[in-house]
Amino acid sequence: NFPMQATAAGLMNDRQIKAMDAGLPVVLQYHDEFMMECDASLAEEQREHLASIMEAPVPQLSNTIFPVDSSTGADWGSL
């Protein structure tokens, strides 16, 4: 189990760095989830940008693509 968890953690770290380098306001990472905080007028655009970063092929895993589910909301309860 350790190799899978370590690979997943490394992938999440890599994607978080890419998101932050792209100027996306990641405020929380929880297991395999990111939470961002932004102005409501930017929410959909930034959600799409983060999804494109997260769904990029992973070269270390034979260019595997991991599909993501994402949503926007005014608070945690509306996600």
Side-chain angles (χ1 to χ4, degrees), residues 38-54:
C38 66
D39 187 81
S41 65
L42 300 173
E44 186 59 25
E45 175 186 334
Q46 290 191 355
R47 183 200 62 76
E48 289 175 4
H49 193 173
L50 182 61
S52 71
I53 290 170
M54 296 299 294

Side-chain angles (χ1 to χ4, degrees), residues 4-18 29 34 53-54 56-61 64-66:
M4 288 189 292
Q5 288 183 341
T7 301
L11 177 60
M12 289 299 290
N13 288 339
D14 176 66
R15 300 305 160 106
Q16 183 173 3
I17 290 168
K18 288 180 179 180
Q29 182 217 344
F34 288 133
I53 290 170
M54 296 299 294
V58 182
Q60 305 91 325
L61 299 173
T64 301
I65 296 172
F66 294 96

Side-chain angles (χ1 to χ4, degrees), residues 23-28 34-40 42-43 46 73-74 76:
L24 298 175
V26 176
V27 295
L28 176 69
F34 288 133
M35 180 171 285
M36 298 189 316
E37 185 173 53
C38 66
D39 187 81
L42 300 173
Q46 290 191 355
W76 286 30

